[in-house]
Amino acid sequence: MSVNGIGAGYPAWRDMGKAQRNGAGTGFAGRMVDTYTVSEGLGNNFIYSKAEERFSAYDVYSIMGNMGSRFHTNNLSSETNQPVEKVGSERYLIEPSDEISGYWRIYDKRLNKSFEFDPNNTSVQTDGNSGKNYIVATDPRGGLMNVMPADSELMETLAQFLNVDNADSIPTSSLNDKYTIEVNAFTGIECLKIKGNEGGGSWLMVSDEQQMGKLRELADMYKEKYPNLIKSESVAMGFAQAEVAGQAVRTEDGIMLITCNGMSYMDDANPSKSWAVMYPIGATHMYMEIMNAMAEGYIEAKDIKEYSKWEKYFEERGLEFERILSDEELEQADKQGAESKTDIIVKPDGSRVLVMTMSIGGMETTTSLEISKPTEAPNENSEHDTDNNMPSDNTPQRTGILGILAD
């Protein structure tokens, strides 16, 4: 998630991780923060998974590259034939970057934020619905790196920097049709997402002091409502940014985070009620499945924190998921012994799903994983055909299938 004033991401997620790891009894919270880590080195502050190397930087780059668009014309570098020099207006300063050779820098004096970009891979795009302009920076493969709104003052300053007649002389293109821009109702902040990969990355564009003030107000709500989970200003701001990006949901007792490869619920008063779920690499549809479940009422507001409701929802729709056990559950498994059972269910379409049931102290947790795709002809055999090559294992074990119980 890239949270921008004018493109500069906040490192608040790291502070969130520290707070959750230091929280007494939070169990898996620290583990999940390691899972939802911000990779600032990629430039787009994309959230990806470190856990068991489920999502590498290369995976992230590839997905974003496939989702983005490539600009071979109308890039800002092609609009100037002479060396550029620093120019400024009342609000903006544009100059060659003193940190990265060949890059340019836009500094917003009012918000005290900088936007650095490669002009060879940056263009001005116009949203046909609102008529607003955006400066869109991509990587050489076309993956979205960053974006900032370009108001009339910035466009005129950019024209002066490029040494063209006026803002109308700067070539623009239509906003990439793979991008969607939503406006957060509480803060008024615009949030850009990539269609089909909404859980993978969000770009928040804070445009003025009023929006920044509303974001701080939202952060204060988190700090006041969840004192056990949030113990610093930066952590509170991180959760506020996540909510605006559509990746955090507040409940009466805790917070749920939803990202590109997992979701977790953290209970403020009772850490034992916290839980986490991971889904497969590349399952970009899961974010919208989860959001639709809440928006369409399949999961009611009062039930958002209940793992059993989500487990039922996933299973009914044949969605793959893995339950991540907390430190407390792992400790209980050590003391009491954990029993696991695996079954392979053959669906009518011929696809096969591995169902794993873990029993710890009388509580059962179920995980499902598709292991083969549908066959050409529907399967008419029993819906619960167990593979003889994978018998049920009822012996106590420390490490579950797929590393669910991995340290």
Side-chain angles (χ1 to χ4, degrees):
M1 178 182 63
S2 177
V3 182
N4 307 321
I6 55 169
Y10 294 88
W13 284 86
R14 290 179 178 175
D15 293 323
M16 289 165 61
K18 292 177 183 178
Q20 292 170 20
R21 283 192 291 271
N22 294 335
T26 53
F28 68 85
R31 183 180 308 168
M32 295 311 297
V33 169
D34 281 339
T35 298
Y36 306 143
T37 300
V38 176
S39 175
E40 294 179 291
L42 292 180
N44 59 5
N45 294 351
F46 195 91
I47 297 179
Y48 74 105
S49 171
K50 283 175 55 181
E52 301 175 5
E53 297 182 352
R54 294 174 59 92
F55 222 48
S56 68
Y58 176 79
D59 295 322
V60 172
Y61 224 62
S62 296
I63 289 177
M64 297 304 285
N66 291 334
M67 291 292 185
S69 65
R70 293 168 173 79
F71 297 100
H72 300 290
T73 60
N74 290 347
N75 64 68
L76 293 180
S77 179
S78 67
E79 300 308 315
T80 179
N81 295 317
Q82 68 287 325
V84 291
E85 297 180 356
K86 180 191 299 186
V87 299
S89 65
E90 181 178 353
R91 176 170 179 174
Y92 299 104
L93 175 68
I94 307 179
E95 62 184 348
S97 171
D98 57 2
E99 295 185 1
I100 307 176
S101 177
Y103 273 53
W104 296 349
R105 171 179 178 259
I106 299 175
Y107 175 65
D108 186 329
K109 304 172 188 177
R110 190 176 300 170
L111 295 177
N112 190 28
K113 297 295 179 182
S114 292
F115 180 95
E116 301 218 11
F117 58 92
D118 178 1
N120 294 299
N121 297 295
T122 301
S123 65
V124 178
Q125 299 183 33
T126 305
D127 183 357
N129 295 320
S130 66
K132 292 183 178 180
N133 291 318
Y134 299 88
I135 297 177
V136 181
T138 67
D139 62 57
R141 295 159 49 118
L144 180 62
M145 297 291 287
N146 221 331
V147 60
M148 68 171 294
D151 60 17
S152 58
E153 181 180 348
L154 179 53
M155 288 293 289
E156 290 295 340
T157 309
L158 183 60
Q160 183 181 353
F161 181 74
L162 295 173
N163 196 27
V164 298
D165 293 338
N166 50 51
D168 292 336
S169 301
I170 301 175
T172 65
S173 59
S174 297
L175 186 68
N176 190 323
D177 60 8
K178 293 183 182 296
Y179 301 159
T180 178
I181 296 178
E182 301 173 357
V183 179
N184 179 259
F186 181 76
T187 63
I189 296 173
E190 290 182 306
C191 177
L192 184 146
K193 295 177 180 289
I194 297 178
K195 296 177 183 178
N197 196 31
E198 292 86 352
S202 300
W203 285 259
L204 271 60
M205 297 175 282
V206 180
S207 61
D208 55 42
E209 297 95 327
Q210 182 178 1
Q211 291 181 358
M212 183 61 74
K214 296 297 288 185
L215 188 62
R216 293 193 184 99
E217 185 178 341
L218 183 58
D220 288 339
M221 291 183 189
Y222 272 92
K223 191 168 59 174
E224 294 171 5
K225 189 171 180 62
Y226 311 109
N228 296 318
L229 289 174
I230 302 173
K231 300 182 182 298
S232 73
E233 296 286 347
S234 58
V235 173
M237 179 61 75
F239 276 112
Q241 293 162 357
E243 178 174 322
V244 175
Q247 294 177 305
V249 178
R250 283 176 286 145
T251 73
E252 184 63 30
D253 303 307
I255 308 166
M256 186 168 73
L257 289 175
I258 311 163
T259 62
C260 60
N261 66 324
M263 62 186 292
S264 63
Y265 169 74
M266 292 167 286
D267 196 281
D268 184 72
N270 190 348
S272 66
K273 294 183 178 180
S274 301
W275 51 267
V277 165
M278 302 290 289
Y279 25 88
I281 295 172
T284 57
H285 64 289
M286 287 295 289
Y287 176 85
M288 291 308 300
E289 292 277 5
I290 292 167
M291 299 306 292
N292 289 338
M294 295 183 287
E296 296 174 8
Y298 292 107
I299 304 292
E300 297 180 3
K302 64 182 179 63
D303 295 327
I304 287 176
K305 65 180 181 179
E306 301 295 336
Y307 170 73
S308 60
K309 300 290 185 180
W310 289 104
E311 181 181 56
K312 181 180 179 182
Y313 178 78
F314 291 151
E315 289 178 345
E316 287 180 350
R317 284 156 181 77
L319 303 174
E320 300 174 50
F321 65 97
E322 298 175 22
R323 167 75 187 277
I324 307 300
L325 299 183
S326 68
D327 292 346
E328 289 83 3
E329 288 170 318
L330 291 175
E331 183 178 353
Q332 186 177 17
D334 275 345
K335 293 179 179 179
Q336 300 181 4
E339 294 184 351
S340 67
K341 181 177 64 175
T342 63
D343 293 290
I344 292 181
I345 296 177
V346 181
K347 295 184 176 180
D349 62 6
S351 63
R352 301 201 303 169
V353 177
L354 177 65
V355 179
M356 297 162 282
T357 303
M358 180 72 66
S359 178
I360 302 176
M363 183 183 71
E364 287 192 349
T365 297
T366 302
T367 299
S368 66
L369 179 68
E370 184 178 64
I371 59 176
S372 68
K373 298 296 182 182
T375 58
E376 293 184 1
N379 190 298
E380 298 179 354
N381 295 328
S382 169
E383 292 186 2
H384 292 77
D385 181 20
T386 303
D387 192 328
N388 292 328
N389 293 324
M390 298 190 69
S392 298
D393 181 5
N394 294 313
T395 59
Q397 58 182 7
R398 167 64 173 167
T399 302
I401 297 174
L402 300 179
I404 294 175
L405 298 181
D407 291 325

